[in-house]
Amino acid sequence: MAYMELTDAEMFICRTLGVMRRSEAMHKVVDQQVGKDDTWAIDIDGMVAEYCAAKRLNLCPDLTVSVRNGGADLIGKTGKTIDVKSTRHKHGRLLATIKKAGEPCDIYVLVIVDDKGGDVVGWASKDELFQVANRTDLGHGVGYALTQDQLHKF
């Protein structure tokens, strides 16, 4: 794991962009969240995770707030698309919905976030994640899941 501690200013940017993204998405898209966490907190945590992954990979984070439907959170230096997944659960898994398999990114990254930044735990390719053997139902419908020990370390 690579813990990325964000400065107070970076956390402020992430919180602001997370709130702005949620505000922009309200009444424009159908909410497809997995889990029962607060939607505002999910968007803030998602932005923190994206920022931590970008910082770890030495990439520029996407600071836009316009509504996005799927797609990449980051673009790697080789042009590969990257989808960043966040959780606050210490032993959380890399999760993706069944729908994601239809238009997958090249790489999926798991970040465990907290109030100061996040652990960039590891990554999996789309071919590794979207296998029938990885389908599971964690109480919110069937999706794809990999445990942290199944991920490549950075």
Side-chain angles (χ1 to χ4, degrees), residues 6-18 44 47-48:
L6 302 183
T7 66
D8 289 342
E10 290 171 319
M11 286 299 295
F12 179 78
I13 289 167
C14 291
R15 287 185 192 108
T16 301
L17 290 173
I44 292 169
M47 187 64 231
V48 170

Side-chain angles (χ1 to χ4, degrees), residues 75-81 106:
I75 305 294
K77 293 177 183 172
T78 61
K80 291 192 184 257
T81 56
D106 297 311

Side-chain angles (χ1 to χ4, degrees), residues 113-143:
V113 299
D114 61 28
D115 293 335
K116 297 285 185 183
D119 272 321
V120 184
V121 176
W123 64 275
S125 71
K126 62 183 176 185
D127 295 329
E128 293 167 326
L129 179 58
F130 296 117
Q131 295 182 20
V132 173
N134 296 331
R135 285 187 178 192
T136 188
D137 187 343
L138 299 175
H140 309 287
V142 176

